[in-house]
Amino acid sequence: MNISIRQLTAFIKVADNGSFTRASDQMHLTQSAVSGLIKELESSLGIVLFDRTTRQLSLSAVGRHLLPQARRILNEMQLFENEASSLTSLAQGQVRLAVSQFAASSMPAVIAQFAQQHPEIGVSLLDCSAENLLKHVQDIEVDLGVGTELEFMETEDDIRADLLYQLPFCVVMPDTHALAQKPEITWQDLLDIPLITLQGPFIEKVTAELDDRIAAHIQQARYKVNFMSTALEMTRQGFGITLCLPYMPEVIDWVSANGLQMRPLAQPVKMRQFFIYQRSSRALSPATIAFKEFLQTYFSSHFNDLQRI
């Protein structure tokens, strides 16, 4: 059985008009073409849809029974076309996003601004550990993932990674600290100064390719905490100085407003890269494409400028 939309349309038009002639006018077809569509449909179904006489055309008993179902099918097809058109035009859609720790801090502001431009597109946010971010992308639990290059090191061939932005490692200290008076602060300058650091992968990335003595000093920091907010507050209270990424403008503003300085570390300048991850083999929806492009534009204007702090 091979029933076409044109056949169902012809069935409904002829039934509504009680005439092949009027139906053909509405469908912009010849009368013989419309008659042919009805015959094809009847042949495919093995039934008679219309009782025909020389004076009158009327629905058969079977035709009257099937007409409402034919209308429902065409209505569903119209709904399908409207839905596809809406998604293509970004009139609606859903984006599923996973972000790791540092990216999660800035993402609510991004989503809020995106919603102003595309109020009909919903964005769901899953904050997760760096270790689990790629798994969510690989398992298609999310459309996009945003995280650091540490996650990319374990990627599979089916994962595409686009650089989103990169930020320098910085040191945060009170305005009154001796290092705050130096025109340039190097990693060597951190030796013999009490440090406050984050635990976990952050330390591994900080110490990679540093001099062994400096790396050991950072790894054996006097204070190790789980959250950057804790490290910054301990720095403000004079427990030591901390290492930080300028991952949010709000963080930089808080540092300045609380008698602290955030300065990039030199010799060497070390950068942390952040990527957008997606499945290479999976086509993104128009809504997801729009959100990805918005992310790239947003961070280009808001975060790359932070490299010059």
Side-chain angles (χ1 to χ4, degrees):
M1 187 179 296
N2 185 18
I3 300 173
S4 70
I5 298 300
R6 293 185 72 198
Q7 291 170 352
L8 291 179
T9 302
F11 172 40
I12 294 170
K13 293 294 185 183
V14 172
D16 287 346
N17 289 279
S19 165
F20 282 103
T21 302
R22 287 191 292 272
S24 63
D25 289 341
Q26 293 181 4
M27 294 183 67
H28 305 291
L29 297 173
T30 65
Q31 182 176 336
S32 61
V34 173
S35 178
L37 289 170
I38 297 298
K39 289 179 181 179
E40 291 171 359
L41 180 58
E42 290 178 326
S43 176
S44 180
L45 294 173
I47 58 176
V48 175
L49 296 172
F50 293 96
D51 293 327
R52 302 168 177 85
T53 67
T54 56
R55 293 186 176 183
Q56 188 176 3
L57 178 71
S58 60
L59 282 167
S60 67
V62 175
R64 284 194 299 272
H65 180 77
L66 292 178
L67 182 60
Q69 297 182 50
R71 293 189 194 279
R72 282 196 294 272
I73 291 171
L74 285 189
N75 288 338
E76 289 292 337
M77 287 301 300
Q78 185 62 55
L79 180 62
F80 178 84
E81 291 178 0
N82 292 343
E83 184 81 2
S85 177
S86 295
L87 291 172
T88 302
S89 64
L90 304 180
Q92 59 181 325
Q94 184 69 30
V95 180
R96 300 169 303 164
L97 179 68
V99 293
S100 61
Q101 180 184 5
F102 285 108
S105 302
S106 58
M107 205 54 63
V110 181
I111 294 173
Q113 292 195 31
F114 178 78
Q116 293 178 5
Q117 295 186 18
H118 302 286
E120 300 302 322
I121 297 179
V123 180
S124 62
L125 180 63
L126 171 65
D127 55 343
C128 60
S129 66
E131 295 77 13
N132 290 331
L133 186 139
L134 277 187
K135 185 177 186 302
H136 291 304
V137 176
Q138 289 166 338
D139 294 344
I140 320 180
E141 296 172 353
V142 297
D143 304 302
L144 298 173
V146 176
T148 65
E149 73 277 8
L150 282 177
E151 295 128 31
F152 185 51
M153 291 170 62
E154 300 177 357
T155 189
E156 297 182 358
D157 292 339
D158 194 32
I159 296 294
R160 169 180 169 178
D162 296 314
L163 180 64
L164 186 57
Y165 62 93
Q166 54 185 356
L167 300 173
F169 282 100
C170 298
V171 61
V172 178
M173 70 223 119
D175 289 334
T176 56
H177 197 279
L179 289 183
Q181 315 310 315
K182 298 190 62 173
E184 179 182 76
I185 303 175
T186 69
W187 294 92
Q188 186 76 23
D189 293 328
L190 303 182
L191 291 173
D192 303 322
I193 296 177
L195 294 181
I196 307 160
T197 67
L198 295 180
Q199 301 189 71
F202 179 81
I203 291 300
E204 297 175 11
K205 185 60 182 178
V206 169
T207 56
E209 301 177 3
L210 286 177
D211 177 86
D212 290 344
R213 187 178 172 210
I214 300 171
H217 178 59
I218 295 172
Q219 292 166 351
Q220 298 165 12
R222 182 176 299 181
Y223 304 101
K224 295 182 179 180
V225 299
N226 291 315
F227 303 105
M228 183 56 67
S229 57
T230 304
L232 292 173
E233 179 60 24
M234 290 180 69
T235 301
R236 190 173 77 92
Q237 297 296 336
F239 287 85
I241 63 176
T242 192
L243 302 175
C244 181
L245 286 169
Y247 57 93
M248 287 182 68
E250 293 82 358
V251 171
I252 298 175
D253 294 340
W254 187 92
V255 166
S256 299
N258 284 273
L260 303 175
Q261 286 188 26
M262 181 183 293
R263 301 273 300 280
L265 285 156
Q267 300 182 33
V269 174
K270 291 174 60 67
M271 307 294 292
R272 193 82 187 269
Q273 294 181 318
F274 291 77
F275 292 87
I276 305 176
Y277 298 98
Q278 67 185 77
R279 285 283 296 268
S280 300
S281 60
R282 183 168 177 262
L284 298 179
S285 69
T288 304
I289 292 172
F291 184 74
K292 180 180 177 180
E293 292 174 349
F294 183 88
L295 276 180
Q296 293 168 320
T297 301
Y298 178 93
F299 284 114
S300 176
S301 61
H302 285 76
F303 278 64
N304 288 343
D305 289 343
L306 300 180
Q307 297 178 34
R308 296 190 290 272
I309 61 172

